[in-house]
Structures are given as structure tokens and as C-alpha cells.
Amino acid sequence: MSDRATAQSPPALTRWEQRAEGPLFVASLLFLLGYATRVLAPHHAEPWRGLSLVLVGVTWLLFVIDYAIRIRLSGLGHRFVRVHWLDTLVLILPLLRPLRVVKVYTAVQKRRDKPRLSLYARVMSYAGMTSLLLGFSAALAIYHLEHNAPGASIRTFGDAVWWACATLTTVGYGDVVPVTPVGRIVAAGLMACGLALLGAVTGSFSSWLIQTFRREDEKVPPAGG
């Protein structure tokens, strides 16, 4: 039911999403910049820490306004929360905004009659950029949670970046691991995201190859014809 509701989005909602996608992406980068400054800047680095907090608050307010407009234009009311669960999750945890690549991947999968490389390349490039942004976000979050924890092996931001790379690629060397409960939840989420992003890239490339070969086979006249 949710897929059908999503496919039948009102034209006004579709137009809003198309117009807001670019500005919201910029807002996501600004949110990440503000959060990074807040986490990495020394406690005495004022006014930068204060300004970063303002930047985080303002950009998150933009996400709230966008979410409210989507609810109004969708005509779904409270069902919007369930039907558009990814938008709801991203509003609660703005660091997960890169996961909106799932929407792009879904849109490409629906265009089975047009297996153009540009469409699938968009998914693969977006997934690569998403991996970088999500990995950086996870490194910031895990460093924030872990570096002062008793018995922590993640003491520097460099440790956090190394951990994020190993986790996102599902390699998991185990040389640095989170020890706090929330840190382990972040790790589990990053593992799942790594699998999803890898699936989006490999799935897009495989679909494009299969559909291209199928079209080539249809062009070849039958033997003896």
C-alpha cells in the first residue's frame, strides 16, 4: 500500500520535492558542517562553537518546515509518517539525510523501459557520495560518543574515520570498536547502511547490464528468419 501511495503522489507534492531537493541538499551539508564544528572544535573555540550550534538549529528548522509542507501537500495527514517513513527517520536523525539515495534508486528501478546508463550512473555516483557523507557523519557521531568513554579504543577523530571505513565496507577489522551502548547502535546502523548502499550500486549496474543485453537480443533476427 505504501508503494502505491508513493507512486500516486499529488502533483503539488511532486513539484515541491523537485524544487526543494537542491536547497535541502545544501542545507544538509551546512548541517553537517555545523555538527562537525561543534564536535571537533576545542571547547574554548568561541564564537565558532556557538555559531555552529545556531547553524545546526537553523538547518534542522528548515527540515521541519519541509516535512510539514510535505504532509500538507500529500493529503495523507498522520498516515504520511508511516507511508514516508524514510522522510520521518531523516527528520529525527538529520545525519541520515544521505540515505535519501534510496528514493533515487527506487525511481530508477521503476523506469525499466529506459535502461539508460545516465540513470544508473546517477544512482552509483549518488551512492558513492552518500557513502562518503554517511561515513563522515558516523565518524563524527562515534567520536563524539566514544572518545571520553572509559576503556574506549576510539580516542581520536582519525580512529573514528578508520572505524567508519572498516564498518561501512563491512570489513570490520575489530582493532577499534565502540564500547558505549549508543555507539554500538550507531555501528549496527552503519553496517546496515553499508550493505544497502552496496546493494544499490551493484543492483543498478546489474539491472542496466541485463536490460541492455535484452535489448540487443531483441534486435538480433531469429535464426533462419
Side-chain angles (χ1 to χ4, degrees):
M1 177 177 178
S2 61
D3 291 339
R4 184 168 59 186
T6 302
Q8 298 175 350
S9 297
L13 176 59
T14 302
R15 287 194 299 269
W16 170 259
E17 289 178 340
Q18 291 174 347
R19 293 173 181 174
E21 192 65 31
L24 287 177
F25 177 72
V26 174
S28 301
L29 295 180
L30 292 175
F31 180 93
L32 185 58
L33 174 63
Y35 181 68
T37 303
R38 187 73 183 175
V39 171
L40 299 177
H43 290 287
H44 57 79
E46 295 294 348
W48 301 112
R49 285 177 57 83
L51 291 175
S52 65
L53 185 60
V54 172
L55 184 60
V56 166
V58 170
T59 50
W60 188 75
L61 181 60
L62 292 177
F63 302 150
V64 173
I65 293 173
D66 169 70
Y67 188 80
I69 292 175
R70 288 173 190 261
I71 291 178
R72 184 174 180 275
L73 295 178
S74 69
L76 296 174
H78 67 278
R79 291 193 299 123
F80 183 90
V81 177
R82 176 173 57 83
V83 174
H84 297 269
W85 60 270
L86 182 59
D87 292 325
T88 305
L89 178 63
V90 164
L91 176 67
I92 298 172
L93 300 172
L95 288 176
L96 295 180
R97 287 198 72 84
L99 287 182
R100 288 177 62 85
V101 68
V102 175
K103 280 194 165 186
V104 180
Y105 177 63
T106 302
V108 169
Q109 287 296 88
K110 291 177 180 177
R111 302 186 64 173
R112 298 183 181 277
D113 58 324
K114 298 179 180 180
R116 293 183 300 168
L117 177 59
S118 59
L119 291 175
Y120 294 101
R122 181 184 176 190
V123 172
M124 289 184 280
S125 61
Y126 198 0
M129 182 173 58
T130 295
S131 299
L132 292 175
L133 293 175
L134 195 63
F136 183 63
S137 301
L140 286 171
I142 211 71
Y143 172 72
H144 188 198
L145 295 166
E146 295 283 324
H147 75 284
N148 286 328
S153 57
I154 301 176
R155 291 292 185 182
T156 66
F157 184 62
D159 293 337
V161 170
W162 171 250
W163 166 85
C165 292
T167 304
L168 192 60
T169 56
T170 68
V171 174
Y173 288 110
D175 51 345
V176 287
V177 294
V179 296
T180 63
V182 179
R184 290 176 176 174
I185 292 175
V186 172
L190 190 62
M191 292 175 198
C193 292
L195 291 173
L197 291 170
L198 182 62
V201 173
T202 56
S204 295
F205 186 67
S206 299
S207 296
W208 174 76
L209 283 179
I210 291 172
Q211 292 175 34
T212 300
F213 290 152
R214 184 180 300 160
R215 284 198 163 196
E216 291 298 325
D217 290 341
E218 292 173 353
K219 293 178 182 178
V220 177

